[in-house]
Amino acid sequence: MKKILKISAIILGSLLLLMAVLPFAFKGKIKAKVQNEINAGLNARVTFGKLALSMFRHFPDMTLTLKDLYIVGVKEFEKDTLAGLPSLSFTLNLKSVFKGDTYEIKRVILDSPKIRLRVLGDGKVNWDITKPSTDTTTTTSSFKATLNKVTIRDAEFTYDDAETPMFFALYGLSGEL
């Protein structure tokens, strides 16, 4: 009986150690990959300070958190921050991450986002940041994801239209989808 308990304790301890070490082992690679993929598809500068991975926060799910995420425009919008998020957090079903068929995103949490949408007098908008596709063939993506819940806490949303002219702002916006 003691032998079974000893083996069980060793296996459990090894699993806990593995869960604690894995996020640190791949953190640098994941941060570089996330940064490159985001910037490859956008006509904007996207930066973030810290990337944190946790297997314990929402066990048995994995949590990916980006701290100090900023999206800043280019050209006429280069001094204009489209979005600033002190914290953006994704909770992913761990099994779906390793399986890789369909990623199950259980929860997205946006803490205190500041979003500023601008329209210039000539009609150009700061949120048109996706790069145009140079591929003329139609291809289907193999990426599949499900999203269960989005939580927004204490958001600031501003819309500034110089063409119309119109301006409005919302402060303290919170909600769940």
Side-chain angles (χ1 to χ4, degrees):
M1 185 70 166
K2 282 186 176 185
K3 196 171 190 178
I4 292 173
L5 285 174
K6 197 178 219 183
I7 291 171
S8 297
I10 290 171
I11 290 172
L12 182 62
S14 298
L15 285 173
L16 287 172
L17 182 65
L18 187 65
M19 287 174 60
V21 170
L22 274 178
F24 293 107
F26 296 109
K27 189 174 175 178
K29 288 181 182 180
I30 292 171
K31 183 175 180 178
K33 179 92 170 158
V34 168
Q35 186 79 50
N36 289 338
E37 289 298 317
I38 290 172
N39 285 321
L42 299 178
N43 282 324
R45 281 190 336 267
V46 178
T47 59
F48 56 90
K50 182 180 173 187
L51 180 137
L53 285 170
S54 173
M55 301 255 201
F56 295 107
R57 186 171 297 146
H58 296 106
F59 185 79
D61 300 318
M62 180 177 82
T63 302
L64 170 72
T65 304
L66 299 173
K67 297 285 188 181
D68 300 320
L69 174 70
Y70 292 97
I71 303 171
V72 179
V74 294
K75 296 180 183 172
E76 54 270 302
F77 298 109
E78 68 182 326
K79 295 181 181 176
D80 199 13
T81 301
L82 170 61
L85 292 99
S87 178
L88 173 62
S89 182
F90 299 90
T91 301
L92 303 136
N93 179 309
L94 191 58
K95 184 179 174 185
S96 75
V97 170
F98 288 114
K99 190 176 173 187
D101 182 28
T102 299
Y103 295 96
E104 182 184 353
I105 305 168
K106 290 192 169 183
R107 179 180 316 141
V108 176
I109 300 172
L110 294 91
D111 274 324
S112 303
K114 291 176 180 49
I115 299 168
R116 184 169 188 227
L117 303 178
R118 283 191 60 209
V119 181
L120 298 180
D122 61 2
K124 290 184 182 174
V125 296
N126 72 337
W127 65 84
D128 186 13
I129 60 173
T130 58
K131 289 184 179 176
S133 177
T134 57
D135 188 9
T136 57
T137 62
T138 304
T139 58
T140 57
S141 173
S142 62
F143 179 80
K144 295 178 192 170
T146 62
L147 176 59
N148 296 339
K149 185 178 184 181
V150 177
T151 302
I152 301 170
R153 298 178 188 146
D154 195 30
E156 290 183 17
F157 179 82
T158 307
Y159 179 79
D160 186 2
D161 190 339
E163 189 178 34
T164 309
M166 180 173 50
F167 177 87
F168 73 86
L170 296 170
Y171 298 99
L173 183 66
S174 295
E176 282 187 0
L177 303 170

